[in-house]
Amino acid sequence: MEHVIEEQYVWQLPVRVYHWINGLCVTFLFITGLYIASPVLSPAIGEAVWYHKMAWFRYVHFGSAFIFLANFIFRLYWALFGDDKYGRFAGFKPWSPVWWGQPFNEQLKSYLFIKKEEPNYCGHNPVAALTHFLFIFCGSVFMILTGLAMYGENNPGGFTDTLFGWVVLIFGSSQSMHTIHHVVAWVFPVYLVLHLYAVIRHDIVDRSSITSSIITGYKHKVEECPE
Amino acid sequence: MKKDTTYKDILEARGVNRRDFLKFCSLMSVYLGFSSTLVPKIVRAMETKPRIPVIWLHGLECTCCSESFIRSSHPITADIVLNMISLDYDDTLSAAAGDQLEAVRKQIMKEYKGQYILAVEGNAPTKDDGVYCMVNGDSFTNMLKETAADAMAVIAWGSCASFGCVQNAKPNPTGATPIHKLIKDKPLVNVPGCPPIAEVMTGVITHLLTFGKLPELDRLKRPKAFYGTRIHDKCYRRPYFDAGMFVESFDDEAANKGWCLYKMGCKGPTTFNACSTVKWNEGTSYPIQAGHPCLGCSEPGFWDNGPFYTRLADVSFLGTNANADTIGKVAVGAAAAGMAAHAVGTAIKNKKQNPLTTNEGEG
Ligand code: HEM
Ligand code: HEM
Ligand code: SF4
Ligand code: SF4
């Protein structure tokens, strides 16, 4: 048996709110995005102007995109200026060899079963932080930039196009940009698989209530007590 | 050839009446998106300005741009067009050839230094010293650079000259290179399309003539007046797109009824061109109106964004030709498999480390 010896408040409200808004938006974006690429619902019969099936999916995609964007900016603000040691990714220093050497290496070795110990971090463990950075931070920035560039195309010279239209030059053509936006969209479900697995696994191995921590904010430290 | 004749002189000589001449000028101003107050300016330019000498080079190309150009719609346009510019050198249209013709080119370059327009159809193969396109014993690449040096402006006709078209589609065996990558120090306009619409070509020249400079260009150096909107945004089938009413196969009811061609691979949503407004062949029709999806012929790299008849492009990825969704599904599958294996690893490790945890139930 084990019992809880300490309750730790890890995820402050802004982080939790960000997390779930983000999760919802990504879900909507992914589903509507795939639908935009291959609209499968059977066509309506009647006058075209009465129906807005495709228009509606695009509308939801763009709507969630802007909520997703606002939420992302909010999280960046919180990471940079929030009074939140766990939410700040404070220990995350990928530019420093020391970070790669000690904490990251140790966690990675543990994940790869090379080391026996399971380091137990209160905030993000270094491997998780890196995964979040690559998948969520870079992935989101990529989707936002390409997304806004495509969004601006209906009005060249307009506000969005002026700010983000240059992105198309990186990919050569608008069609290639659609394709790459579509390919990178898959980063999110891949991340979700890794993420959910990691969370559930930690919960089982460390018994730290990590799964519910993203709802309640609290993680628990447990101690084995001999019978 | 007498060089300083004006357009009016030529038109008169050809028996074009004043009424038709004015019609032409108004038509051009409409295509270029000018207000009607600018029509007199076009008229005056046409009447007074000497014709601009043009050297028209042909690199790796199929001559579809020339073909399009000589089919300008307005009855007198066809007539004017070829005379409108003083087409002093064009190796496809000239009677002369070889040394004789090259001598003409050199002469224009000398006499009209900094005043002539260099129009290029096709692009330049740069691999292996340019041997894949030779003109009169020299590589086309050299000829292009030499002729561009003293030009006032450069017009890149068609997708070949603008972006490379089929010649520089993967794997681009001849190193075909679009003009703007070779000539960087001259005002340059791209007029993409395979071919570009005749009225668009005439429009660009009319603008150049009237104002003495290139029209306003976008990021890809295309004239905004013609390439400012996507086919999709002015497509008459757009209501069907928004409604979600799509053609599913070329011989279904929907195709018959003229619904949206998006699922047939229509590239209208990603193609900037004037087809859905100016149309083709005297404004008769355009591909979508005829029931065929847009191929995106005026977009960079459109050959590599195929297949033409599916919405999702094939992406070459680790030597395969998969589409985005196949790549995605494989990645998710791999992640899931990896995690499952890891879970097994974790279970084994836990069992070894702490045999008690597995029979907690009895504790
Ligand atoms: C689309 C779905 C999801 C996305 C995109 C996502 C993304 C993220 C991100 C970006 C973080 C870092 C939080 C931060 O510091 O801002 C995070 C943390 C976390 N998420 Fe999710 N999440 C998703 C779904 C879920 C679900 C379904 C659960 C479980 C119930 C969950 C549980 C957690 C937990 C426990 C953490 C903290 C983990 C840690 O120690 O790093 N997430 N998630
Ligand atoms: C998690 C984030 C996102 C995912 C998973 C996602 C997914 C997708 C997918 C799969 C497509 C279809 C691409 C195609 O094959 O044509 C698409 C299209 C598009 N997305 Fe996103 N997207 C995301 C974020 C964004 C953002 C932030 C914007 C910004 C406004 C955006 C704007 C667009 C636009 C404009 C289109 C093209 C719609 C059309 O062609 O009608 N997306 N998205
Ligand atoms: S036919 Fe093509 S351009 Fe026209 S609305 Fe459909 S997708 Fe857009
Ligand atoms: S409809 Fe598309 S493919 Fe056809 S000519 Fe116009 S731009 Fe080219």
Side-chain angles (χ1 to χ4, degrees):
Chain A
M1 269 313 282
E2 62 273 334
H3 66 200
V4 173
I5 53 167
E6 196 186 330
E7 231 184 12
Q8 299 158 313
Y9 188 49
V10 190
W11 308 120
Q12 292 193 21
L13 189 63
V15 172
R16 286 176 278 148
V17 169
Y18 158 81
H19 182 272
W20 291 112
I21 293 184
N22 185 55
L24 272 181
C25 287
V26 168
T27 310
F28 275 117
L29 282 164
F30 187 74
I31 293 170
T32 53
L34 287 195
Y35 187 88
I36 291 169
S38 34
V40 285
L41 295 183
S42 57
I45 303 296
E47 213 171 311
V49 289
W50 295 341
Y51 304 98
H52 297 100
K53 257 202 184 97
M54 188 68 171
W56 186 83
F57 273 92
R58 294 177 75 243
Y59 185 75
V60 173
H61 192 78
F62 306 150
S64 347
F66 287 112
I67 299 173
F68 172 80
L69 173 58
N71 194 44
F72 182 74
I73 294 172
F74 165 73
R75 184 66 183 85
L76 271 190
Y77 165 82
W78 189 251
L80 293 174
F81 307 109
D83 177 21
D84 180 345
K85 97 174 150 185
Y86 300 117
R88 291 191 84 156
F89 285 82
F92 183 56
K93 295 192 178 82
W95 53 88
S96 139
V98 179
W99 183 85
W100 288 96
Q102 258 300 314
F104 181 80
N105 214 353
E106 224 153 69
Q107 179 66 50
L108 190 67
K109 277 192 175 146
S110 155
Y111 275 141
L112 294 177
F113 307 121
I114 297 171
K115 268 183 101 124
K116 271 213 181 116
E117 299 78 44
E118 294 273 352
N120 193 358
Y121 285 82
C122 212
H124 304 104
N125 78 53
V127 173
L130 185 73
T131 328
H132 287 161
F133 175 75
L134 289 180
F135 282 69
I136 302 298
F137 181 80
C138 298
S140 301
V141 168
F142 190 91
M143 293 312 274
I144 289 167
L145 286 180
T146 49
L148 287 174
M150 289 192 284
Y151 188 75
E153 283 184 335
N154 64 43
N155 183 17
F159 179 75
T160 322
D161 180 65
T162 309
L163 289 181
F164 300 99
W166 53 269
V167 176
V168 73
L169 298 177
I170 304 174
F171 305 105
S173 71
S174 167
Q175 185 67 30
S176 323
M177 191 161 61
H178 272 78
T179 307
I180 197 92
H181 186 82
H182 195 128
V183 173
V184 177
W186 282 93
V187 156
F188 292 89
V190 170
Y191 171 82
L192 188 64
V193 169
L194 305 181
H195 181 57
L196 287 186
Y197 171 71
V199 168
I200 294 168
R201 180 183 179 277
H202 272 288
D203 220 350
I204 294 173
V205 173
D206 313 331
R207 301 191 192 85
S208 57
S209 337
I210 178 176
T211 313
S212 57
S213 75
I214 199 68
I215 300 173
T216 60
Y218 287 95
K219 283 192 184 177
H220 298 113
K221 242 199 178 121
V222 291
E223 188 183 68
E224 295 279 338
C225 0
E227 294 286 307
Chain B
M1 198 182 294
K2 197 164 152 272
K3 297 274 162 40
D4 356 353
T5 37
T6 66
Y7 299 92
K8 190 166 152 259
D9 299 338
I10 293 185
L11 296 179
E12 274 168 4
R14 303 202 124 225
V16 172
N17 62 34
R18 178 92 189 149
R19 190 183 160 82
D20 279 344
F21 171 63
L22 291 179
K23 262 196 203 162
F24 169 79
C25 294
S26 331
L27 196 71
M28 281 301 133
S29 87
V30 170
Y31 283 145
L32 287 164
F34 294 159
S35 78
S36 53
T37 48
L38 279 178
V39 177
K41 188 155 182 187
I42 298 182
V43 174
R44 206 165 320 119
M46 289 278 187
E47 281 176 345
T48 56
K49 291 199 181 164
R51 295 192 301 164
I52 309 177
V54 173
I55 297 182
W56 188 305
L57 298 185
H58 298 256
L60 288 185
E61 49 94 345
C62 73
T63 315
C64 79
C65 301
S66 294
E67 288 287 343
S68 176
F69 192 48
I70 58 180
R71 276 168 184 69
S72 289
S73 73
H74 194 265
I76 64 160
T77 324
D79 222 16
I80 297 177
V81 172
L82 278 179
N83 301 291
M84 181 160 145
I85 47 180
S86 128
L87 202 50
D88 299 313
Y89 174 100
D90 184 326
D91 36 13
T92 311
L93 296 177
S94 307
D99 289 337
Q100 262 180 326
L101 190 59
E102 293 313 307
V104 174
R105 179 172 65 92
K106 295 250 158 72
Q107 193 197 333
I108 305 166
M109 286 168 56
K110 215 165 79 202
E111 263 177 54
Y112 294 93
K113 202 171 162 155
Q115 292 165 26
Y116 63 90
I117 288 174
L118 171 61
V120 192
E121 192 174 343
N123 52 33
T126 50
K127 231 185 226 164
D128 304 325
D129 287 332
V131 292
Y132 303 109
C133 186
M134 303 291 286
V135 185
N136 203 35
D138 196 4
S139 75
F140 175 71
T141 316
N142 286 344
M143 180 185 183
L144 174 70
K145 286 183 177 156
E146 176 188 302
T147 319
D150 291 327
M152 167 182 113
V154 180
I155 303 179
W157 286 140
S159 291
C160 305
S162 303
F163 305 130
C165 207
V166 72
Q167 300 89 310
N168 82 349
K170 283 179 200 121
N172 190 4
T174 63
T177 311
I179 308 307
H180 69 92
K181 291 209 176 137
L182 295 170
I183 295 165
K184 305 203 155 153
D185 54 349
K186 294 281 164 190
L188 180 144
V189 54
N190 284 330
V191 189
C194 189
I197 304 172
E199 284 69 26
V200 170
M201 301 176 80
T202 334
V204 169
I205 292 190
T206 311
H207 190 286
L208 203 62
L209 181 75
T210 315
F211 299 102
K213 58 172 197 224
L214 295 176
E216 203 187 340
L217 306 179
D218 67 7
R219 272 185 204 92
L220 297 175
K221 296 188 189 230
R222 300 171 295 199
K224 282 185 180 169
F226 301 108
Y227 298 88
T229 48
R230 298 178 293 190
I231 306 274
H232 187 57
D233 289 321
K234 288 191 176 167
C235 177
Y236 77 103
R237 298 194 181 198
R238 181 63 186 265
Y240 293 109
F241 173 85
D242 287 334
M245 299 162 81
F246 299 109
V247 175
E248 306 274 348
S249 104
F250 282 121
D251 49 8
D252 67 5
E253 258 308 283
N256 223 357
K257 288 180 177 154
W259 292 3
C260 171
L261 293 158
Y262 185 72
K263 290 178 86 171
M264 301 310 293
C266 185
K267 304 292 185 295
T270 51
T271 303
F272 292 81
N273 203 341
C275 303
S276 46
T277 46
V278 176
K279 301 193 180 174
W280 288 84
N281 300 322
E282 307 180 18
T284 308
S285 181
Y286 71 112
I288 292 165
Q289 194 172 342
H292 192 279
C294 169
L295 305 179
C297 79
S298 56
E299 285 290 303
F302 77 102
W303 291 98
D304 293 328
N305 277 324
F308 287 148
Y309 299 109
T310 60
R311 165 76 195 143
L312 270 186
D314 282 348
V315 207
S316 48
F317 180 72
L318 299 179
T320 64
N321 245 359
N323 73 25
D325 286 338
T326 318
I327 296 173
K329 282 175 198 156
V330 169
V332 172
M339 294 304 100
H342 197 273
V344 173
T346 309
I348 295 172
K349 176 180 166 190
N350 275 3
K351 212 166 192 167
K352 271 197 205 144
Q353 250 177 325
N354 185 0
L356 276 181
T357 47
T358 42
N359 43 6
E360 252 175 350
E362 295 157 28

